[in-house]
């Protein structure tokens, strides 16, 4: 799967997921989110996401990273590194923007996914949205469990990805299904460039330690 993904020069994919939020009372609430991802290696990425908490659009054109909040009609822009890999690292470390599932977008998914793995197992065949898949489960040394469902056949694409933060109260999960894979989307440069909507307000990215609940969710 990792070799196949890294060999794709460009692709688009539809995502449908849930994110657990554990309240102070201990009750677990499930939040919905869906989105569209477009990637063109080595230096273009766009994510359009709608969910219970926000409607967000991320643009990376090889020079700048921009995050636009549609409901607030506000956006923040910052200079970015020259690759998707480096930009995702910068977004996480300097901006506090951790995108669950980002390990599937980098140039070497295998290295990113298995960095902290201490055990793994193959659970056999299954079905996800009518597609035959292989089910794998892994445990990390940093308190995270995760599972992958990988399409069977000549296109070993990830079809479902689940992350469980077992060391956090309530063991919250992030789950995402990936569908409508297009490996020849014929993407254009303007799809990755941000043009501010009318009356949009420019703001600054918050420092990671001041974002609180504004992050996109815990990453693996």
């Amino acid at each position: 799967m990792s070799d196949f993904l890294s060999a794709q020069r460009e692709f688009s994919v539809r995502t449908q997921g849930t994110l657990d939020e554990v309240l102070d009372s201990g009750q677990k609430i499930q939040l919905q989110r869906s989105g569209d991802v477009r990637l063109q290696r080595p230096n273009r990425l766009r994510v359009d996401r709608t969910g219970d908490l926000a409607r967000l659009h991320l643009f990376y054109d090889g020079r700048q990273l921009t995050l636009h909040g549609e409901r607030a009609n506000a956006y923040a822009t910052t200079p970015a590194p020259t690759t998707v890999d480096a930009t995702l690292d910068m977004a996480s470390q300097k901006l506090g923007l951790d995108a669950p599932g980002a390990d599937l977008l980098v140039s070497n998914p295998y290295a990113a996914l298995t960095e902290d793995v201490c055990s793994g197992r193959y659970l056999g065949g299954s079905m996800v949205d009518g597609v035959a898949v292989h089910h794998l489960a892994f445990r990390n040394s940093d308190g995270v469990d995760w599972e992958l469902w990988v399409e069977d056949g000549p296109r070993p694409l990830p079809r479902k990805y689940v992350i469980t933060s077992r060391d956090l109260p309530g063991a919250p999960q992030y789950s995402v299904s990936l569908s409508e894979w297009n490996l020849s989307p014929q993407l254009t440069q303007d799809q990755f460039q941000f043009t501010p909507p009318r009356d949009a307000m420019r703001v600054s990215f918050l420092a990671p330690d001041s974002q609180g609940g504004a992050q996109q969710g815990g990453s693996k």
Side-chain angles (χ1 to χ4, degrees), residues 73-88:
N73 199 20
Y75 68 96
T77 298
T78 185
T82 57
T83 65
V84 170
D85 290 19
T87 296
L88 289 173

Side-chain angles (χ1 to χ4, degrees), residues 100-215:
D103 289 340
L104 299 173
L105 303 178
V106 298
S107 60
N108 189 344
Y110 181 81
L113 288 165
T114 61
E115 181 179 2
D116 298 308
V117 166
C118 58
S119 66
R121 60 187 303 183
Y122 175 68
L123 300 178
S126 183
M127 300 288 290
V128 173
D129 297 330
V131 176
V133 294
H134 299 279
H135 185 191
L136 302 100
F138 301 88
R139 171 155 285 195
N140 284 10
S141 58
D142 59 358
V144 171
D145 294 338
W146 55 283
E147 299 171 74
L148 269 178
W149 289 257
V150 179
E151 181 175 335
D152 187 21
R155 300 197 324 163
L157 294 164
R159 287 288 179 168
K160 186 176 179 181
Y161 184 34
V162 173
I163 303 170
T164 303
S165 300
R166 67 178 187 269
D167 287 351
L168 295 181
Q173 283 190 335
Y174 169 76
S175 176
V176 61
S177 296
L178 302 105
S179 62
E180 301 180 33
W181 281 96
N182 186 345
L183 305 183
S184 302
Q186 298 181 347
L187 302 172
T188 59
Q189 185 172 350
D190 63 324
Q191 292 175 305
F192 303 94
Q193 294 178 337
F194 175 71
T195 301
R198 183 177 180 181
D199 299 327
M201 177 176 60
R202 181 166 183 170
V203 297
S204 299
F205 281 106
L206 296 175
D209 59 0
S210 64
Q211 289 213 9
Q215 294 187 11

Side-chain angles (χ1 to χ4, degrees), residues 2 4 11 17 26 28 44 46 68 71 93 98 108 110 114 127 152 160 165 184 186 196 207 214:
S2 298
F4 185 78
F11 61 76
K28 189 184 297 184
R44 292 186 177 92
R46 178 169 172 177
H68 173 228
R71 292 176 181 170
Q93 297 172 10
D98 286 323
N108 189 344
Y110 181 81
T114 61
M127 300 288 290
D152 187 21
K160 186 176 179 181
S165 300
S184 302
Q186 298 181 347

